[in-house]
């Protein structure tokens, strides 16, 4: 597609519910990132994929968070047993380059706003 | 550990003013730096990407400069318009890494 597509745009979950957030990157983009943005803050790194391989998940805040990209294209971020502190905007970004290429920036999607009540 | 700071946190100016947003970073060994715009409730739109070998980039009324040695970047907006009202985020990609570290942004309001 022309851009990074994320769905749903908004999600309201009851505390304890599981949620799944989808990211459809730009076709052919090797790198895919998930970021979490709390209200009034800058985005913070969650996890990184190069094709289907998850090379870094150091930013995932707990073992309730799980991400996958099984065919190296669409990615899903899953949050189990959601809690109020999980409320944030979840942003996905993709890039044409693998990590060692210096000169490419990232294209971000519009994000999924998750509210846990 | 790379840390990115943006000042001011918020800025309100009358229409037509030229303005400067500041970004500083602690580790000068970077691949590149990006400035993004974020409208309320929306995702990030990339404005300018400056590679480590460059000193500035321009796009329309926007000009971004980079001084790696001092760990600073500025975003200059000429002849500001109400439509420029948004949050502006600076993000740095440190050499040897693949992720961007973001500042907390500058919330800009341009008054008609």
């Amino acid at each position: 597609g022309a851009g990074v597509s994320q769905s749903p745009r908004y999600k309201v979950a009851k505390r304890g519910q599981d949620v799944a957030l989808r990211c459809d990157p730009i076709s052919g983009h090797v790198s895919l990132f998930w970021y979490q943005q709390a209200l009034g803050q800058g985005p913070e790194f969650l996890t990184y994929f190069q094709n289907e391989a998850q090379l870094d998940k150091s930013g995932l805040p707990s073992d309730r968070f799980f991400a996958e990209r099984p065919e190296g294209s669409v990615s899903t971020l899953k949050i189990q047993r959601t809690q109020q502190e999980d409320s944030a905007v979840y942003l996905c970004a993709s890039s044409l380059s693998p990590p060692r290429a210096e000169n490419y920036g990232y294209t971000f999607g519009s994000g999924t706003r998750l509210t846990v009540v | 550990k790379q840390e990115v700071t943006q000042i001011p946190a918020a800025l309100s100016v009358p229409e037509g003013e030229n303005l400067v947003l500041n970004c500083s970073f602690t580790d000068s060994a970077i691949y590149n730096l990006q400035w993004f715009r974020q409208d309320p409730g929306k995702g990030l739109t990339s404005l300018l990407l400056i590679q480590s070998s460059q000193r500035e980039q321009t796009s329309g009324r926007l000009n971004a400069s980079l001084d790696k040695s001092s760990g600073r970047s500025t975003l200059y907006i000429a002849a500001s318009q109400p439509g420029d009202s948004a949050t502006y985020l600076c993000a740095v990609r440190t050499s040897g890494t693949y992720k961007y570290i973001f500042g907390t942004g500058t919330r800009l309001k341009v008054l008609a």
Side-chain angles (χ1 to χ4, degrees):
Chain A
V4 178
S5 178
Q6 291 188 246
S7 61
R9 286 282 288 120
Y10 303 93
K11 176 68 179 179
V12 179
K14 292 185 178 179
R15 191 161 56 92
Q17 184 179 351
D18 297 350
V19 298
L21 312 181
R22 176 188 168 106
C23 173
D24 206 333
I26 293 173
S27 178
H29 274 199
V30 169
S31 298
L32 185 145
F33 301 78
W34 284 97
Y35 281 79
Q36 179 191 57
Q37 186 177 23
L39 188 65
Q41 301 298 312
E44 293 194 355
F45 171 80
L46 292 177
T47 188
Y48 164 67
F49 289 87
Q50 183 180 347
N51 296 308
E52 70 279 2
Q54 188 175 22
L55 298 186
D56 188 342
K57 54 181 181 179
S58 62
L60 296 177
S62 78
D63 59 8
R64 296 185 296 104
F65 286 71
F66 172 76
E68 60 183 5
R69 193 186 186 197
E71 297 178 357
S73 178
V74 172
S75 177
T76 303
L77 176 66
K78 298 179 179 178
I79 309 173
Q80 298 177 322
R81 304 181 303 281
T82 53
Q83 300 179 5
Q84 284 191 319
E85 61 262 31
D86 300 336
S87 295
V89 174
Y90 291 85
L91 295 162
C92 176
S94 70
S95 173
L96 182 61
S97 66
R100 62 183 176 277
E102 299 179 11
N103 298 328
Y104 289 100
Y106 303 146
T107 302
F108 279 83
S110 297
T112 294
R113 180 175 296 276
L114 173 65
T115 303
V116 181
V117 297
Chain B
K1 178 186 171 186
Q2 181 73 270
E3 293 182 359
V4 181
T5 304
Q6 291 186 246
I7 54 172
L11 183 62
S12 185
V13 300
E15 181 177 8
E17 273 204 8
N18 302 324
L19 52 99
V20 174
L21 308 181
N22 296 290
C23 172
S24 61
F25 47 95
T26 54
D27 185 347
S28 61
I30 66 171
Y31 277 150
N32 57 48
L33 180 147
Q34 270 192 274
W35 282 94
F36 292 89
R37 169 183 173 142
Q38 187 172 34
D39 292 283
K42 301 291 178 62
L44 278 63
T45 300
S46 179
L47 298 173
L48 290 165
L49 169 69
I50 309 178
Q51 298 171 15
S52 60
S53 59
Q54 297 175 321
R55 292 196 60 87
E56 65 178 326
Q57 280 282 353
T58 299
S59 175
R61 294 182 294 107
L62 305 179
N63 175 278
S65 68
L66 175 64
D67 184 345
K68 267 199 323 177
S69 60
S70 66
R72 295 178 187 274
S73 176
T74 61
L75 179 66
Y76 176 83
I77 303 176
S80 58
Q81 303 171 358
D84 295 331
S85 298
T87 295
Y88 291 81
L89 291 158
C90 168
V92 172
R93 186 177 166 203
T94 307
S95 296
T97 71
Y98 39 75
K99 58 189 176 186
Y100 277 100
I101 305 298
F102 284 81
T104 53
T106 294
R107 294 187 309 281
L108 172 65
K109 187 168 185 178
V110 181
L111 304 171

